[in-house]
């Protein structure tokens, strides 16, 4: 049988077998080219192009062509500047065109539910408005070059542990108002060419097969018209995925599922309409006429390196400053910390960039002409070295100021692994007090892409958070420390005092295969503010070398809604957007930027509702003494709540409040606002009305109707293709042997030793990847019949 697909160039007729083949990748990065439909070339990643011309992998181990390493998402989000993110997207798009890459796999916008998430550095924020706004700008910038974006990872992807088969159990309100909202904003405002589905299940259904989230929400409710592609090895069931809305399986699995799909077509289980849709979506991306790069690539990389530095300078967050920064030109400085000389610029995994240059903190200070003494102070492997400590303490007493660089090791922030705690390495923490004993002028530089505990915050004079600042982080740090530019970053996620304050801390990782999002909407500041929990530094917080005042705040008192008739019978309320005007004045002596933030919240808090949620923001640069009126638009959507029965957002009438400030805790004005629409509130068990501490599973089940499953049995007769080698190995020497062969081959191909962090990382990935997913990522080397045989032997 044949199908006819519509293309920009006309129509093309494909046999069912050809169409099915088209829906699976040709190799690791490219699609099949057949029937006159060209191949699509894809490459990672969210903060730089990871183009692998030879050996390919999705874990960031193999070398890639040199490209600009921009600050990671947790860093660039702290700029709160959509224009900067648009410039980053444009720069990455130009580099993609220079390598003839059609689609870049990014940006990543999953909500930071828990600080221990191993990929937190790749994601923007705990807040969907901030994440969705920045992602939209990045996408528009990238796609302005003719390069397609792949928005990821859709959806409910909040952990790395067991990520290939974990089930995210999320109540409907949290799902739509929090975990889907950033995707909705990015899709409806920027229309990425593709959306990448995550590995995990959501409420019992694999994302590749999720007809509700893919077909109903993404395509119908949001109007997404692009291609849906699986994460690499995320396809669960070929037939179910095509019916649900997944168009393309990546990478090549050697077409191991094609025969199954062909049988499903003949048996009528796979509608030809689904196959036609998938082929047309793939062809639409493949047929797109993309500009040919005509510039000089070396010049492009040089210009983009300058941009990477600019983004870092405007993203680093000054958390504390006790009149010590900026440093004077004559200040004598001792730099301490191995991370100053071996500065991490990015995390590990599929987003790992091969850079043409790297500026460490020490190199940045030296290149800026700053004469500094240096002592490592600690080892990056966490071991205690008494001699390094003695040398650092001696060096600290010689000069005016100590710049102490602290942060997470590379192994702590990596795709495929979650962290075990929020603490900095013990050998670094122990060093702080010893340095303070000989020098009170300690300035801490933080190098980490994830939230960390800061028990020394009240002891040191200043803290400057550099995050994972990209290839020019050292040059940016020098300019920030010595005042060539004033810090203007604001935290895109809350820094709690301790991990036990995080609402899902008690449940996170306990049963990684069935994961109750028991805290519901109460993630980040949505929890800390309503529960009145003290935090180290709140969402949206950041200091400057100047000061600002917000005045003449004008807000509406009523949000009017008109009742209109749709399709002759259905009456709905439509409200206009609210407008907030604020005058911002630079009351200090240097040029700087303030971020005006507007939050909204329902007055009725005895329900499932955060005290406040971010509704609008604007970053304003001002010269000393300069004033400017800023007008912020609060969209009517900010006053809507998810109505599950109606499957839509509805305007929630009643009393609301507008909060205007410079962080979720630094509110300078609160104004009442009445929404003229029918009242709408979301009732919930008592904990969700007044959340304090850890929610119970019983309360979560009452709220959501969802019950976490018990851990699976690991006995003979219970293994399936979704079982991992780690689970099966105790019962099967054959699985053990095969796993060791795969690990050895990967380590050999990647030129890493088994004892190295990279070698151990590869081993962990193999041991914890389901057998069927190993086959899907093998390019056809591990056959489907082999998987079935291995499962049979383990069970018998």
């Amino acid at each position: 049988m044949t199908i006819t697909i519509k293309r920009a160039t006309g129509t093309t007729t494909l046999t069912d077998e050809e169409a099915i083949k088209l829906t699976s990748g040709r190799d690791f990065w490219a699609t099949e080219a057949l029937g006159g439909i060209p191949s699509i070339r894809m490459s990672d990643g969210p903060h730089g192009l990871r183009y692998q011309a030879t050996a390919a992998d999705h874990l960031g181990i193999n070398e890639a062509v040199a490209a600009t390493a921009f600050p990671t998402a947790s860093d660039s989000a702290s700029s709160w500047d959509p224009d900067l993110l648009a410039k980053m997207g444009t720069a990455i798009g130009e580099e993609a065109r220079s390598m003839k890459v059609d689609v870049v796999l990014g940006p990543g916008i999953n909500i930071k539910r828990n600080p221990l998430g191993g990929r937190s550095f790749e994601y923007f924020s705990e807040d969907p408005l901030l994440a969705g706004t920045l992602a939209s700008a990045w996408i528009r910038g990238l796609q302005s070059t003719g390069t397609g974006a792949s928005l990821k990872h859709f959806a409910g992807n909040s952990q790395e542990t067991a990520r290939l088969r974990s089930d995210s159990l999320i109540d409907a309100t949290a799902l739509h108002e929090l975990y889907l909202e950033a995707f909705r904003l990015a899709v409806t405002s920027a229309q990425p060419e593709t959306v990448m589905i995550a590995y995990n299940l959501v409420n019992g259904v694999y994302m590749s097969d999720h007809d509700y989230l893919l077909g109903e929400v993404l395509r119908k409710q949001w109007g997404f018209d692009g291609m849906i592609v699986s994460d690499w090895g995320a396809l669960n069931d070929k037939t179910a995925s095509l019916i649900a809305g997944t168009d393309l399986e990546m990478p090549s699995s050697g077409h191991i599922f094609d025969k199954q799909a062909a049988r499903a077509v003949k048996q009528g289980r796979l509608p030809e309409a689904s196959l036609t849709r998938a082929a047309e979506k793939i062809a639409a991306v493949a047929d797109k006429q993309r500009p040919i790069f005509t510039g000089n690539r070396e010049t492009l990389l040089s210009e983009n390196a300058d941009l990477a530095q600019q983004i870092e300078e405007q993203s680093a967050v000054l958390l504390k400053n006790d009149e010590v920064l900026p440093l004077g030109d004559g200040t004598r400085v001792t730099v301490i910390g191995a991370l100053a000389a071996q500065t991490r610029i990015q995390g590990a995994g599929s987003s790992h960039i091969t850079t043409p240059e790297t500026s460490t903190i020490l190199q940045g200070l030296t290149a800026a002409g700053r004469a500094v003494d240096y002592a490592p102070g600690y080892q990056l492997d966490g071991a205690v070295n008494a001699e390094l400590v003695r040398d650092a303490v001696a060096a600290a007493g010689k000069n005016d100021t100590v710049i102490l660089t602290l942060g997470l090791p590379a192994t702590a922030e990596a795709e495929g692994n979650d962290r075990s705690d929020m603490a900095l390495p013990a050998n670094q923490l122990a060093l702080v007090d010893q340095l303070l004993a000989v020098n009170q002028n300690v300035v801490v530089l933080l190098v980490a892409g994830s939230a960390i505990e800061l028990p020394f915050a009240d002891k040191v004079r200043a803290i400057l958070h550099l995050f994972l600042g990209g290839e020019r982080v050292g040059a940016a740090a020098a300019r920030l420390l010595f005042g060539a530019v004033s810090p203007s970053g604001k935290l895109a996620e809350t820094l709690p005092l301790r991990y036990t304050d995080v609402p899902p801390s008690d449940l996170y990782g306990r049963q990684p295969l069935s994961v109750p999002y028991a805290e519901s909407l109460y993630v980040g500041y949505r929890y800390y503010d309503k529960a009145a929990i003290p935090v180290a530094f709140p969402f949206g917080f950041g200091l400057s070398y100047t000061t600002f005042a917000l005045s003449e705040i004008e807000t509406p008192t009523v949000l009017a809604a008109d009742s209109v008739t749709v399709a002759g019978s259905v009456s709905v309320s439509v409200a206009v957007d609210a407008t907030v005007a604020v005058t911002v004045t630079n009351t200090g002596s240097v040029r700087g930027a303030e971020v005006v933030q507007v939050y909204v919240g329902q007055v009725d808090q005895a329900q499932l509702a955060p005290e406040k949620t971010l509704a609008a923001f604007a970053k304003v640069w001002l010269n000393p003494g300069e004033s400017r009126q800023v007008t912020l638009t609060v969209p009517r959507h900010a006053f809507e709540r998810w109505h599950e029965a109606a499957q839509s957002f509805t305007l929630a009438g009643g009393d609301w409040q507008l909060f205007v400030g410079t962080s979720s805790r630094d509110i300078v004005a609160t104004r009442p606002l009445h929404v003229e629409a029918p009242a709408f509130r979301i009732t919930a068990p008592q904990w969700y009305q007044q959340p304090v501490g850890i929610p119970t599973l019983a309360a979560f089940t009452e709220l959501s109707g969802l019950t976490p499953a018990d851990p699976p049995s690991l006995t003979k007769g219970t293994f399936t293709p979704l079982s991992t080698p780690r689970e099966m190995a105790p019962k099967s020497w054959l699985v053990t042997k095969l796993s060791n062969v795969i690990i050895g081959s990967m380590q050999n191909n990647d030129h890493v030793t088994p004892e190295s962090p990279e070698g151990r990382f590869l081993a962990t990935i193999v041991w914890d990847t389901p057998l069927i997913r190993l086959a899907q990522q093998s390019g056809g080397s591990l056959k489907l019949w082999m998987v079935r045989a291995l499962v049979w032997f383990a069970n018998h």
Side-chain angles (χ1 to χ4, degrees), residues 189-378:
S189 65
Q191 282 295 331
E193 285 191 26
T194 79
V195 168
M196 181 192 292
I197 56 166
Y199 292 111
N200 54 278
L201 303 85
V202 172
N203 296 340
V205 182
Y206 273 100
M207 274 308 307
S208 67
D209 308 342
H210 218 300
D211 56 348
Y212 171 69
L213 288 179
L214 299 182
E216 172 64 23
V217 175
L218 180 58
R219 291 214 188 271
K220 184 178 178 182
Q221 294 181 12
W222 300 349
F224 177 65
D225 194 40
M227 180 180 76
I228 298 177
V229 58
S230 77
D231 200 345
W232 268 227
L235 191 82
N236 178 59
D237 181 296
K238 182 76 170 180
T239 299
S241 71
L242 286 168
I243 294 172
T246 303
D247 301 311
L248 175 64
E249 172 200 6
M250 287 299 289
S252 171
S253 62
H255 296 284
I256 60 176
F257 301 121
D258 285 16
K259 290 183 180 179
Q260 292 178 353
R263 284 197 299 271
V265 171
K266 291 178 181 178
Q267 294 167 0
R269 293 185 293 111
L270 175 55
E272 294 217 347
S274 297
L275 194 56
T276 301
R277 180 217 68 239
E280 287 182 343
K281 298 299 184 186
I282 295 168
V285 176
D287 287 339
K288 186 175 178 64
Q289 296 299 304
R290 305 186 189 275
I292 297 174
F293 180 74
T294 58
N296 181 282
R297 197 162 188 278
E298 289 186 5
T299 301
L300 177 65
L301 293 180
S302 177
E303 292 172 347
N304 287 351
D306 292 339
L307 176 61
Q309 180 177 330
Q310 179 189 358
I311 294 172
E312 171 60 6
E313 289 174 1
Q314 296 185 28
S315 300
V317 178
L318 183 61
L319 296 175
K320 180 180 181 180
N321 187 21
D322 185 11
E323 298 181 352
V324 65
L325 293 179
L327 300 173
D329 287 339
T331 305
R332 296 178 302 164
V333 174
T334 298
V335 176
I336 294 174
L339 282 167
Q342 303 173 62
T343 310
R344 291 180 56 229
I345 65 170
Q346 58 187 326
S350 60
S351 65
H352 192 274
I353 308 300
T354 301
T355 60
E357 62 171 274
T358 299
S359 169
T360 68
I361 292 168
L362 199 57
Q363 289 171 336
L365 290 168
T366 303
R370 307 297 177 179
V372 299
D373 296 325
Y374 169 69
Y378 56 81

Side-chain angles (χ1 to χ4, degrees), residues 222-578:
W222 300 349
F224 177 65
D225 194 40
M227 180 180 76
I228 298 177
V229 58
S230 77
D231 200 345
W232 268 227
L235 191 82
N236 178 59
D237 181 296
K238 182 76 170 180
T239 299
S241 71
L242 286 168
I243 294 172
T246 303
D247 301 311
L248 175 64
E249 172 200 6
M250 287 299 289
S252 171
S253 62
H255 296 284
I256 60 176
F257 301 121
D258 285 16
K259 290 183 180 179
Q260 292 178 353
R263 284 197 299 271
V265 171
K266 291 178 181 178
Q267 294 167 0
R269 293 185 293 111
L270 175 55
E272 294 217 347
S274 297
L275 194 56
T276 301
R277 180 217 68 239
E280 287 182 343
K281 298 299 184 186
I282 295 168
V285 176
D287 287 339
K288 186 175 178 64
Q289 296 299 304
R290 305 186 189 275
I292 297 174
F293 180 74
T294 58
N296 181 282
R297 197 162 188 278
E298 289 186 5
T299 301
L300 177 65
L301 293 180
S302 177
E303 292 172 347
N304 287 351
D306 292 339
L307 176 61
Q309 180 177 330
Q310 179 189 358
I311 294 172
E312 171 60 6
E313 289 174 1
Q314 296 185 28
S315 300
V317 178
L318 183 61
L319 296 175
K320 180 180 181 180
N321 187 21
D322 185 11
E323 298 181 352
V324 65
L325 293 179
L327 300 173
D329 287 339
T331 305
R332 296 178 302 164
V333 174
T334 298
V335 176
I336 294 174
L339 282 167
Q342 303 173 62
T343 310
R344 291 180 56 229
I345 65 170
Q346 58 187 326
S350 60
S351 65
H352 192 274
I353 308 300
T354 301
T355 60
E357 62 171 274
T358 299
S359 169
T360 68
I361 292 168
L362 199 57
Q363 289 171 336
L365 290 168
T366 303
R370 307 297 177 179
V372 299
D373 296 325
Y374 169 69
Y378 56 81
Q379 294 183 185
L380 288 175
D381 62 5
V384 176
N385 187 314
E387 183 178 355
L388 290 181
V389 173
R390 284 195 302 270
D391 291 346
V393 171
K398 294 179 179 179
N399 290 320
D400 300 323
T401 302
V402 171
I403 297 176
L404 174 60
T405 306
L406 305 174
L408 295 174
T411 53
E413 300 183 278
E415 179 177 354
N417 290 286
D418 291 320
R419 295 156 62 199
S420 58
D421 56 51
M422 269 182 60
L424 287 168
N427 65 339
Q428 296 185 32
L429 291 174
L431 183 61
V432 178
D433 286 335
Q434 297 179 68
L435 296 177
L436 285 169
V438 298
N439 193 326
Q440 290 294 301
N441 291 326
V442 174
V443 174
V444 170
L445 302 184
L446 296 176
V447 177
S450 310
I452 49 181
E453 295 172 346
L454 304 173
F456 50 80
D458 60 344
K459 301 176 183 178
V460 300
R461 292 285 301 277
I463 304 174
L464 179 62
H465 204 330
L466 299 174
F467 301 94
L468 300 180
E471 65 184 59
R472 287 272 188 90
V473 62
R479 283 171 51 81
L480 288 162
L481 287 169
F482 285 89
V485 61
S486 177
S488 61
K490 299 278 189 172
L491 289 176
E493 61 184 307
T494 308
L495 297 186
L497 283 168
R498 59 193 67 85
Y499 179 62
T500 51
D501 290 337
V502 178
S505 61
D506 191 50
L507 295 173
Y508 195 78
R510 181 191 295 180
Q511 212 296 61
L513 296 184
S514 186
V515 185
Y517 284 42
E519 70 284 355
S520 185
L521 284 175
Y522 301 120
V523 171
Y525 74 91
R526 284 167 164 77
Y527 169 71
Y528 301 118
D529 288 0
K530 182 160 181 171
I533 302 295
V535 298
F537 298 100
F539 173 81
F541 175 81
L543 300 175
S544 171
Y545 292 156
T546 189
T547 54
F548 298 92
L550 274 57
S551 62
E552 301 176 17
I553 298 171
E554 301 173 5
T555 65
T557 58
V558 176
L559 187 72
D562 298 322
S563 181
V564 298
T565 301
V566 179
S569 60
V570 181
S571 204
V572 298
S573 293
V574 179
V576 297
D577 298 335

Side-chain angles (χ1 to χ4, degrees), residues 490-755:
K490 299 278 189 172
L491 289 176
E493 61 184 307
T494 308
L495 297 186
L497 283 168
R498 59 193 67 85
Y499 179 62
T500 51
D501 290 337
V502 178
S505 61
D506 191 50
L507 295 173
Y508 195 78
R510 181 191 295 180
Q511 212 296 61
L513 296 184
S514 186
V515 185
Y517 284 42
E519 70 284 355
S520 185
L521 284 175
Y522 301 120
V523 171
Y525 74 91
R526 284 167 164 77
Y527 169 71
Y528 301 118
D529 288 0
K530 182 160 181 171
I533 302 295
V535 298
F537 298 100
F539 173 81
F541 175 81
L543 300 175
S544 171
Y545 292 156
T546 189
T547 54
F548 298 92
L550 274 57
S551 62
E552 301 176 17
I553 298 171
E554 301 173 5
T555 65
T557 58
V558 176
L559 187 72
D562 298 322
S563 181
V564 298
T565 301
V566 179
S569 60
V570 181
S571 204
V572 298
S573 293
V574 179
V576 297
D577 298 335
T579 300
V580 176
V582 183
T583 296
V584 187
T585 303
N586 183 340
T587 56
S589 58
V590 299
R591 176 175 170 78
E594 181 60 279
V595 177
V596 182
Q597 302 163 39
V598 178
Y599 298 80
V600 302
Q602 289 176 279
V603 172
D604 176 11
Q605 285 290 295
Q607 60 165 318
L608 179 60
E611 177 188 80
K612 64 175 81 75
T613 59
L614 184 68
F617 63 90
K619 189 168 188 175
V620 189
W621 284 91
L622 298 170
N623 292 318
E626 183 182 2
S627 293
R628 184 181 309 164
Q629 186 183 64
V630 180
T631 301
L632 300 94
T633 299
V634 180
R636 64 175 180 268
H637 181 70
F639 305 97
E640 294 178 334
R641 302 299 308 277
W642 176 252
H643 193 310
E644 176 67 5
Q647 280 297 295
S648 65
F649 282 93
T650 185
L651 201 62
D655 293 328
W656 288 69
Q657 286 183 312
L658 289 167
F659 306 85
V660 181
T662 55
S663 84
S664 75
R665 294 279 173 99
D666 296 299
I667 302 299
V668 300
T670 302
R671 300 282 192 271
L673 182 141
H674 184 78
V675 176
E676 291 187 347
F680 185 81
R681 66 192 303 274
I682 300 176
T683 58
Q686 181 60 36
W687 187 89
Y688 299 96
Q689 299 178 40
Q690 191 174 7
V692 177
I694 307 300
T696 66
L697 289 180
F700 171 69
T701 298
E702 183 182 350
L703 171 73
S704 65
L706 301 166
T707 302
D710 294 328
S713 174
L714 300 179
T715 59
K716 285 189 175 184
T718 65
F719 299 120
T720 73
L722 285 168
S723 299
T724 67
R726 191 184 300 279
E727 293 170 338
M728 301 169 70
K731 307 295 182 182
S732 174
W733 65 268
L734 193 56
V735 169
T736 303
K737 178 69 174 177
L738 174 66
S739 301
N740 285 326
V741 169
I742 294 174
I743 292 167
S745 175
M746 292 174 67
Q747 291 170 342
N748 182 63
N749 290 339
D750 295 338
H751 308 292
V752 297
T753 62
E755 299 79 19

Side-chain angles (χ1 to χ4, degrees), residues 755-768:
E755 299 79 19
S756 68
E758 294 82 5
R760 293 195 300 269
F761 171 62
L762 287 174
T764 298
I765 288 293
V766 172
W767 285 117
D768 293 329

